[in-house]
Amino acid sequence: MKKLLLTAFLIISSCVASDYIGSEVDCLVIKEENSIICKYMTERSIEDKFVTMEWINPEGEISRTRKVLFPSGHGSVYDFRYLSGRELGVWTFRVTDKEQVYNTTFEIKAEE
């Protein structure tokens, strides 16, 4: 099921990215799969570049920073984390691409 959801997420993102102008970040929390998947979409470039991805916990502390290769010709990159063990509350996912910073938030709630 996890592979099916991730594949659908990637296909939809690829279709959107092919005509996409501008930049956007988005996160998907999949409780059933114990997963958080965050993506960064931007215009395709003819050069490889690196972007920095940061996961910021509800207290405002950076819990992980990754420098990710954004290959030439690609329109999106992804990062993944397990849901279990994460602090409850509103998280921020931040991407720095050259001098530009893009953010999105998502909420981890207690099990009901």
Side-chain angles (χ1 to χ4, degrees), residues 47-66:
E47 301 174 347
D48 287 349
K49 64 179 176 178
F50 284 92
V51 297
T52 302
M53 297 181 167
E54 296 175 308
W55 297 73
I56 302 167
N57 69 23
E59 283 80 43
E61 301 167 345
I62 297 172
S63 73
R64 177 162 84 177
T65 300
R66 291 187 64 207

Side-chain angles (χ1 to χ4, degrees), residues 4-92:
L4 177 64
L5 288 172
L6 181 57
T7 301
F9 186 66
L10 296 175
I11 290 170
I12 291 168
S13 297
S14 295
C15 292
V16 171
S18 63
D19 296 317
Y20 192 78
I21 296 176
S23 299
E24 180 181 315
V25 291
D26 191 26
C27 293
L28 180 63
V29 177
I30 309 170
K31 286 189 176 194
E32 300 81 16
E33 301 296 332
N34 188 34
S35 302
I36 308 164
I37 303 168
C38 292
K39 66 180 175 182
Y40 169 59
M41 296 186 315
T42 192
E43 293 181 50
R44 296 175 190 270
S45 172
I46 60 171
E47 301 174 347
D48 287 349
K49 64 179 176 178
F50 284 92
V51 297
T52 302
M53 297 181 167
E54 296 175 308
W55 297 73
I56 302 167
N57 69 23
E59 283 80 43
E61 301 167 345
I62 297 172
S63 73
R64 177 162 84 177
T65 300
R66 291 187 64 207
K67 191 173 185 179
V68 178
L69 174 65
F70 203 116
S72 66
H74 287 247
S76 58
V77 290
Y78 302 84
D79 200 6
F80 163 86
R81 295 190 83 178
Y82 289 106
L83 183 58
S84 61
R86 304 279 158 239
E87 297 172 55
L88 300 179
V90 177
W91 284 70
T92 300

